[in-house]
Amino acid sequence: MQEQDYPRTMGQQFGRRSWAEPWKIKMVEPLRVTSRAEREAALKAAGYNTFLLRSEDVYIDLLTDSGTNAMSDRQWAALMMGDEAYAGSRSFYRLEATVQQVYGYRHIIPTHQGRGAEHLISQVAIRRGQYVPGNMYFTTTRLHQELAGGIFVDVIIDEAHDPQSQYPFKGNVDLDKLQALIDKVGPQQIAYISLAGTVNMAGGQPVSMANVRALRALCDRYGLRIFLDSTRLVENAFFIKEREPGYAEQRIAAIVREFCSYTDGAWMSAKKDALVNIGGWLALNDDQLADEARNLVVVYEGLHTYGGMAGRDMEALAVGIEESLQEDYIRARIGQVRYLGELLLDWDIPIVVPIGGHAIFLDARRFYPHLPQDLFPAQTLAAELYLDSGVRAMERGIASAGRDPKTGQNYYPKLELTRLTIPRRVYTQAHMDVVAESVKAVYDQRHQARGLRMVYEPRYLRFFQARFEPVE
Ligand SMILES: *Cc1c(COP(=O)(O)O)cnc(C)c1O
């Protein structure tokens, strides 16, 4: 498909008529607006790391789309139906049947959230010293692979590292890179392919159906397994429907099911696509691997029929999975993200394009061309945005990338991004207008930014708890 073939704006897609959120508000939660002086004090106390702010001090919270979803009336009703039996909970069997039906896998193992499942799959499927090729890394995913003795290798297409490339499927695996790795180390030294759709760190960019199909064919030649990070697969399916020939008339549910059919198992952070505040699962087709994972889940999470979730959480999750597949829901979800992105593009503010599924990624390299990566430009931008308006964003650049476990040297990722992540069904278009205007205000003052230096660095996943100070 050519770049110019797919619509850049919702206006182009739906004609000149406005669209609105396909829900109305039944319960409201007040927001607090703070003064500039209050925000300066709060940011200083938080070590200039937006993860360390108190949410009370935040106005519009775009830190993450993880667990920040608004549940529907049906989900709240389902909470009351939770079966809290320690073993064999009815709520587990409902969840199991839903995941089996929607995603198509045989064995379902619940976990407290996504990283619980990542831990299990890494422990059962990686032998020390094996390689784990993936379409770009994700923080918790790669860490669990490394803790299990795996060596992560990025095999995403080059376009993914270029924030200005308009390629419609920037999440795709580069099959030549994967083939080169197979040729170099041999298929026995590859644990599995770690495939994610959409790719969070590349800007919420999708994988095409053609790519996963071709990946399956290549892996079959060498007996390699593909495990899928299905955290935002529903959003990936929307892009396939929109951009890939032959899928325009298919239902999102059918696209999700076909995509999964090319893989051997999946893990999920239900806190994203699945419209709940906590939860996750691991799904496997292989009987023996599933037995091993079920054995480990009782060590780290809980019995295999709850895995760290309450019965009510599993009920709400089952309903959330069903709602996530509704066509009007997913169109409005991606549409809201795109609405914000287009406001910024209209002002020539540098963002990652095409606009992805769950967030707008500000390109901090082009935003602050005078700041070297060692001065944490993306972290600086998140701090400036909070100071301006109380909007909370997060860094996805050198702080998130961490250090090479072998050499101890910083990773220097090509992408130095500040993420404005949109919670599902929480904010309205009016909130998006306020956010866009704040980004514009910070952009107008961009020449004054001086950068940050790190004064405290935790050992694991440092971006969560690192502390910074302004450079004088
Ligand atoms: C959030 C996330 C995870 C980890 O899930 P948690 O529920 O936060 O533990 C894994 N992969 C991707 C792509 C994610 O976005």
Side-chain angles (χ1 to χ4, degrees):
M1 186 180 199
Q2 296 298 305
E3 287 167 16
Q4 59 269 24
D5 287 351
Y6 68 93
R8 203 179 77 85
T9 66
M10 294 305 273
Q12 282 173 323
Q13 192 167 8
F14 299 120
R16 286 177 58 253
R17 300 293 292 268
S18 294
W19 63 283
E21 292 81 3
W23 35 260
K24 59 184 176 177
I25 295 161
K26 187 177 280 190
M27 189 189 289
V28 297
E29 181 180 342
L31 295 173
R32 192 167 84 91
V33 182
T34 50
S35 68
R36 172 106 191 174
E38 285 174 314
R39 291 195 292 276
E40 277 169 4
L43 190 65
K44 193 163 179 222
Y48 294 82
N49 183 349
T50 50
F51 274 103
L52 300 179
L53 287 167
R54 290 170 181 240
S55 80
E56 274 181 339
D57 296 327
V58 172
Y59 174 34
I60 298 174
D61 200 349
L62 306 186
L63 182 76
T64 174
D65 63 332
S66 180
T68 52
N69 301 309
M71 293 207 297
S72 68
D73 48 1
R74 287 182 62 230
Q75 285 177 288
W76 281 103
L79 280 183
M80 300 303 294
M81 301 299 291
D83 175 2
E84 305 302 342
Y86 187 91
S89 161
R90 184 189 66 237
S91 305
F92 165 71
Y93 293 107
R94 176 171 185 195
L95 173 63
E96 180 187 47
T98 305
V99 176
Q100 282 169 338
Q101 192 216 327
V102 168
Y103 292 90
Y105 300 110
R106 197 170 307 142
H107 303 284
I108 314 302
I109 299 155
T111 60
H112 76 285
Q113 61 183 76
R115 71 198 68 181
E118 291 175 334
H119 175 215
L120 300 180
I121 185 79
S122 302
Q123 291 297 325
V124 301
I126 300 173
R127 272 186 287 109
R128 219 147 261 289
Q130 277 189 318
Y131 292 84
V132 189
N135 55 343
M136 202 172 264
Y137 83 101
F138 182 72
T139 53
T140 57
T141 316
R142 185 179 67 191
L143 178 60
H144 279 297
Q145 290 164 354
E146 288 173 350
L147 289 172
I151 303 159
F152 173 81
V153 183
D154 188 4
V155 293
I156 203 166
I157 57 173
D158 287 339
E159 286 86 342
H161 294 282
D162 174 5
Q164 289 174 275
S165 162
Q166 286 276 358
Y167 192 74
F169 291 103
K170 283 164 84 172
N172 280 357
V173 172
D174 185 328
L175 298 177
D176 293 335
K177 286 185 192 168
L178 179 57
Q179 181 73 60
L181 180 72
I182 297 169
D183 294 343
K184 187 170 145 218
V185 306
Q188 295 79 17
Q189 272 307 100
I190 293 178
Y192 55 86
I193 318 301
S194 178
L195 179 72
T198 60
V199 180
N200 190 347
M201 303 296 277
Q205 304 293 332
V207 177
S208 72
M209 196 72 88
N211 188 247
V212 66
R213 211 181 284 128
L215 178 67
R216 177 78 270 167
L218 176 63
C219 288
D220 280 348
R221 247 175 279 147
Y222 296 99
L224 289 173
R225 299 170 298 192
I226 305 169
F227 293 126
L228 174 68
D229 184 338
S230 62
T231 296
R232 295 188 187 79
L233 188 64
V234 174
E235 292 170 4
N236 197 105
F238 176 86
F239 290 114
I240 289 176
K241 182 177 173 115
E242 183 182 63
R243 297 175 185 173
E244 196 161 348
Y247 289 94
E249 301 303 321
Q250 287 215 26
R251 298 195 63 75
I252 292 292
I255 298 173
V256 165
R257 186 74 197 241
E258 182 186 341
F259 198 101
C260 292
S261 74
Y262 301 120
T263 70
D264 301 288
W267 65 89
M268 170 98 182
S269 169
K271 304 171 70 172
K272 322 288 175 48
D273 260 3
L275 295 167
V276 288
N277 304 117
I278 193 74
W281 45 261
L282 174 65
L284 294 164
N285 285 338
D286 185 83
D287 297 340
Q288 196 198 326
L289 212 54
D291 273 347
E292 288 174 34
R294 250 187 227 113
N295 194 215
L296 272 190
V297 78
V298 298
V299 181
Y300 292 104
E301 302 278 319
L303 195 70
H304 61 280
T305 57
Y306 74 87
M309 277 187 283
R312 56 180 171 270
D313 294 332
M314 293 190 280
E315 286 286 336
L317 173 51
V319 176
I321 290 171
E322 287 162 10
E323 290 182 354
S324 74
L325 299 166
Q326 289 168 1
E327 308 280 322
D328 60 349
Y329 156 72
I330 190 68
R331 183 146 31 90
R333 158 69 178 156
I334 308 268
Q336 186 179 46
V337 174
R338 211 171 269 181
Y339 174 85
L340 172 60
E342 281 162 5
L343 290 174
L344 299 176
L345 285 174
D346 284 345
W347 286 324
D348 291 323
I349 292 169
I351 66 171
V352 174
V353 288
I355 295 165
H358 66 300
I360 298 301
F361 290 74
L362 303 169
D363 185 353
R365 277 183 195 277
R366 281 187 292 147
F367 206 102
Y368 291 140
H370 60 290
L371 293 185
Q373 206 166 11
D374 283 316
L375 293 184
F376 302 96
Q379 192 83 41
T380 304
L381 178 46
E384 291 292 337
L385 195 59
Y386 174 73
L387 282 180
D388 178 73
S389 61
V391 170
R392 172 155 70 169
M394 82 145 86
E395 194 258 16
R396 277 299 182 224
I398 185 167
S400 293
R403 291 177 186 272
D404 185 318
K406 263 215 205 96
T407 67
Q409 295 301 306
N410 276 321
Y411 288 115
Y412 283 89
K414 279 199 192 131
L415 296 178
E416 179 69 24
L417 308 173
T418 305
R419 190 177 82 179
L420 301 166
T421 338
I422 316 299
R424 295 167 186 79
R425 302 194 294 207
V426 171
Y427 295 114
T428 63
Q429 285 196 28
H431 292 109
M432 297 301 112
D433 291 337
V434 170
V435 171
E437 287 162 20
S438 179
V439 174
K440 172 82 163 67
V442 172
Y443 191 59
D444 290 343
Q445 311 238 319
R446 61 192 178 279
H447 304 296
Q448 287 155 36
R450 308 283 272 289
L452 295 167
R453 59 194 176 85
M454 199 186 294
V455 294
Y456 166 65
E457 179 175 353
R459 178 149 163 224
Y460 297 115
L461 302 174
R462 66 183 184 185
F463 60 96
F464 281 131
Q465 291 157 331
R467 300 183 73 85
F468 301 84
E469 272 175 8
V471 170
E472 294 310 326

